[in-house]
Amino acid sequence: MDITPVTRTAVSDEVFGQLVAEILSGRLAADDALPGERELAERFGVNRHAIREALKRVQQAGLVRIAQGGKTRVLDWRQNAGLDTLSQLAAASALPPLQILRDISEMRRTVAADATRLCAQRATDAQLAAILAAAETYPADSTEIADTFGPDLDFWTCVIDGSGNVAYRLGLNTLVGGFAEIGWQTVVDLGLGAEYADRDAHLALARLIADRDAEGAHRLAEELLGRTVARISAAIEK
Amino acid sequence: MDITPVTRTAVSDEVFGQLVAEILSGRLAADDALPGERELAERFGVNRHAIREALKRVQQAGLVRIAQGGKTRVLDWRQNAGLDTLSQLAAASALPPLQILRDISEMRRTVAADATRLCAQRATDAQLAAILAAAETYPADSTEIADTFGPDLDFWTCVIDGSGNVAYRLGLNTLVGGFAEIGWQTVVDLGLGAEYADRDAHLALARLIADRDAEGAHRLAEELLGRTVARISAAIEK
DNA sequence: CAGGTCAACTGGTTGGACCAGTTGTCTGGA
DNA sequence: TCCAGACAACTGGTCCAACCAGTTGACCTG
């Protein structure tokens, strides 16, 4: 028996999701005017307050411009949306999941690799110890891929914390969110194998960082994370 | 006479800003329970709907967990907030502006440099032409720094568009937003000079990209954008 | 003292009214 | 004929009041 917690979605969340999907998918084009709040409320069959809550969030995401007295207009999301919209992009099927996955993994490689370099330069001794410890708990290569996600995330979180760059830290959160939205199953299906869950490489990387070898650590991190990019790119080719 | 458009801030925006500031500044610690919506409404002197609109957005930002029946609790923003919170971070004075500026410029350097490499590999001919054109409109080194922000942003936007990576595109939007939140004046005060507005370097970079010299373009981009990082880091030292 | 019951919270949703800007039309005077 | 100004009909913004729906913990009962 496989039990999944029931998901109670608030109406405003539902409205938010649908509006975002309409915009990201292009069914609502940039500069189009949205129906008035009263009409939306009627069409969605919910109260106007729920519409307003959703609309405010769509605005926060940078997808519409709301003006009192005037109409609410759709903005060009490529030009105005923030990185947090990435996960919505996956949910709305606005782009092929594999492309989003590739873009995420590319950004992850680049950002994490640079964080590795900075970490080797700036991390405190306590942070270095945490990284070494995280690398130790990295599962053996033979483990189920799905079981390596957790330790892998732990490891890189330590590294990015060690870099002392909050933008990287917050960016990581967003990327992980986008990853989750696409679904781990998709990732597993790609057949990521040893090139992803390489315990020895992560141990070596931790040691390079602890030795303050910034350039060496950067190179290894880039190579290590590049494997995933290569794997996904290969899958796209097919 | 210097006229600035009046800013009519919606009540819920005001509430949102204050709540976020409370959380990011640490005055509301992680795992703390927020007062109930009815009490917040009374304390802020506004309607409960305004509180709800704000609270929903705080939730979307990943700063609180709302549960029907239970209390609304503060989350650890370092662990849960997305990159879009970066601009709030500046507004809330949760961290020194110069540190945020450094982190943003570091991320900008790393992401844009990688985008440059990808751009050289993947850009269409039309995109290459756009890049060359953008580089042409880059102002001469002697121009007021403030006047180079626009053309500079245009140039890099073209490059990142050419990379075909939506994550980079959206990330750029967020970073620019964070930059703007801190205020261009702060940036100007840093005394960024020729190392930032280097017309010749940008022209050279555009040519490298057009020649599909991925590695060469990557190197130059990293060096070029690294200048700003170095400038800000130096300012922090003092 | 373990168990269930229930009242008093919490957030979620609804309805309706009214305020406050924007826009376009229509009218009256130059 | 044309144009300024008034106005009506939108738009979003805010508020009040009520009730629904979960959660929690105190309290009572066996």
Side-chain angles (χ1 to χ4, degrees), chain B residues 10-11 38 45-50 68-70:
Chain B
V11 198
R38 293 164 179 84
V46 302
N47 188 273
R48 193 177 150 214
H49 288 299
Q68 182 174 358

Side-chain angles (χ1 to χ4, degrees), chain A residues 48-126:
Chain A
R48 192 178 150 214
H49 291 299
I51 300 290
R52 284 185 55 78
E53 278 180 17
L55 232 33
K56 264 285 179 188
R57 292 171 60 195
V58 178
Q59 178 189 37
Q60 173 170 338
L63 300 180
V64 298
R65 180 183 46 240
I66 301 178
Q68 181 174 358
K71 295 193 174 182
T72 298
R73 291 194 169 277
V74 177
L75 295 174
D76 179 357
W77 62 267
R78 285 178 181 275
Q79 203 169 322
N80 295 281
L83 188 61
D84 289 1
T85 302
L86 201 58
S87 58
Q88 319 290 343
L89 213 48
S93 313
L95 293 174
L98 275 183
Q99 190 202 323
I100 302 179
L101 216 49
R102 184 203 64 178
D103 290 354
I104 291 179
S105 62
E106 273 179 358
M107 185 164 182
R108 181 179 108 111
R109 158 173 55 78
T110 305
V111 165
D114 191 58
T116 304
R117 168 164 44 195
L118 294 175
C119 181
Q121 294 169 346
R122 306 202 280 228
T124 65
D125 289 340

Side-chain angles (χ1 to χ4, degrees), chain B residues 6 8 16 30 38 41 61-62 78 103 125 137 141 144 155 224:
Chain B
V6 292
R8 293 167 285 267
F16 173 73
R38 293 164 179 84
R78 286 177 182 274
D103 291 355
D125 289 340
T137 66
D141 304 9
E144 266 307 307
F155 175 79
L224 192 52

Side-chain angles (χ1 to χ4, degrees), chain A residues 39-220:
Chain A
E39 183 182 341
L40 283 174
E42 195 169 347
R43 299 230 299 238
F44 276 104
V46 301
N47 190 277
R48 192 178 150 214
H49 291 299
I51 300 290
R52 284 185 55 78
E53 278 180 17
L55 232 33
K56 264 285 179 188
R57 292 171 60 195
V58 178
Q59 178 189 37
Q60 173 170 338
L63 300 180
V64 298
R65 180 183 46 240
I66 301 178
Q68 181 174 358
K71 295 193 174 182
T72 298
R73 291 194 169 277
V74 177
L75 295 174
D76 179 357
W77 62 267
R78 285 178 181 275
Q79 203 169 322
N80 295 281
L83 188 61
D84 289 1
T85 302
L86 201 58
S87 58
Q88 319 290 343
L89 213 48
S93 313
L95 293 174
L98 275 183
Q99 190 202 323
I100 302 179
L101 216 49
R102 184 203 64 178
D103 290 354
I104 291 179
S105 62
E106 273 179 358
M107 185 164 182
R108 181 179 108 111
R109 158 173 55 78
T110 305
V111 165
D114 191 58
T116 304
R117 168 164 44 195
L118 294 175
C119 181
Q121 294 169 346
R122 306 202 280 228
T124 65
D125 289 340
Q127 286 171 326
L128 292 183
I131 291 168
L132 286 166
E136 285 295 338
T137 67
Y138 209 91
D141 303 10
S142 58
T143 315
E144 269 302 312
I145 311 286
D147 294 332
T148 72
F149 290 144
D152 190 63
L153 179 56
D154 284 343
F155 175 80
W156 287 107
T157 300
C158 286
V159 171
I160 287 180
D161 278 340
S163 78
N165 185 313
V166 281
Y168 285 171
R169 185 67 174 87
L170 299 180
L172 174 72
N173 292 341
T174 303
L175 291 183
V176 171
F179 226 77
E181 191 60 47
I182 293 181
W184 303 104
Q185 196 51 50
T186 308
V187 184
V188 172
D189 291 345
L190 279 174
L192 292 177
E195 75 267 12
Y196 174 72
D198 187 340
R199 176 182 161 88
D200 290 339
H202 285 80
L203 280 169
L205 181 57
R207 261 180 252 112
L208 282 174
I209 295 173
D211 290 344
R212 305 279 185 193
D213 180 356
E215 295 313 317
H218 180 262
R219 258 194 309 278
L220 178 53

Side-chain angles (χ1 to χ4, degrees), chain B residues 43-228:
Chain B
R43 299 229 300 236
F44 276 104
V46 302
N47 188 273
R48 193 177 150 214
H49 288 299
I51 300 291
R52 284 184 55 77
E53 280 179 15
L55 232 32
K56 264 286 181 187
R57 292 171 58 194
V58 178
Q59 178 190 36
Q60 175 171 338
L63 300 179
V64 299
R65 181 182 46 240
I66 301 177
Q68 182 174 358
K71 295 194 172 181
T72 298
R73 292 193 168 278
V74 177
L75 296 173
D76 178 358
W77 62 266
R78 286 177 182 274
Q79 203 168 323
N80 295 281
L83 188 62
D84 289 0
T85 302
L86 201 57
S87 56
Q88 318 290 343
L89 213 47
S93 312
L95 291 174
L98 275 184
Q99 190 202 324
I100 302 179
L101 216 50
R102 184 204 63 180
D103 291 355
I104 290 178
S105 63
E106 274 178 359
M107 186 164 182
R108 182 179 107 111
R109 159 174 54 80
T110 305
V111 166
D114 190 57
T116 304
R117 168 163 45 194
L118 294 174
C119 182
Q121 294 168 346
R122 306 201 280 228
T124 64
D125 289 340
Q127 286 171 327
L128 291 183
I131 292 168
L132 286 167
E136 284 296 339
T137 66
Y138 209 90
D141 304 9
S142 57
T143 315
E144 266 307 307
I145 310 286
D147 294 331
T148 72
F149 290 145
D152 190 63
L153 180 56
D154 284 343
F155 175 79
W156 287 107
T157 300
C158 286
V159 171
I160 286 180
D161 277 340
S163 78
N165 185 314
V166 281
Y168 284 172
R169 185 65 173 91
L170 299 180
L172 173 73
N173 291 342
T174 304
L175 291 183
V176 171
F179 226 76
E181 191 61 47
I182 292 181
W184 303 105
Q185 196 51 49
T186 308
V187 184
V188 172
D189 291 344
L190 279 173
L192 292 177
E195 74 268 11
Y196 174 73
D198 187 340
R199 175 181 162 88
D200 289 339
H202 286 80
L203 280 169
L205 182 57
R207 262 180 250 113
L208 284 174
I209 296 173
D211 290 344
R212 304 281 185 191
D213 180 356
E215 294 314 317
H218 180 263
R219 257 193 310 277
L220 178 53
E222 193 151 51
E223 190 271 324
L224 192 52
L225 295 166
R227 298 177 191 175
T228 306

Side-chain angles (χ1 to χ4, degrees), chain A residues 216-229:
Chain A
H218 180 262
R219 258 194 309 278
L220 178 53
E222 193 152 51
E223 190 271 324
L224 193 52
L225 296 166
R227 298 177 191 173
T228 306
V229 177

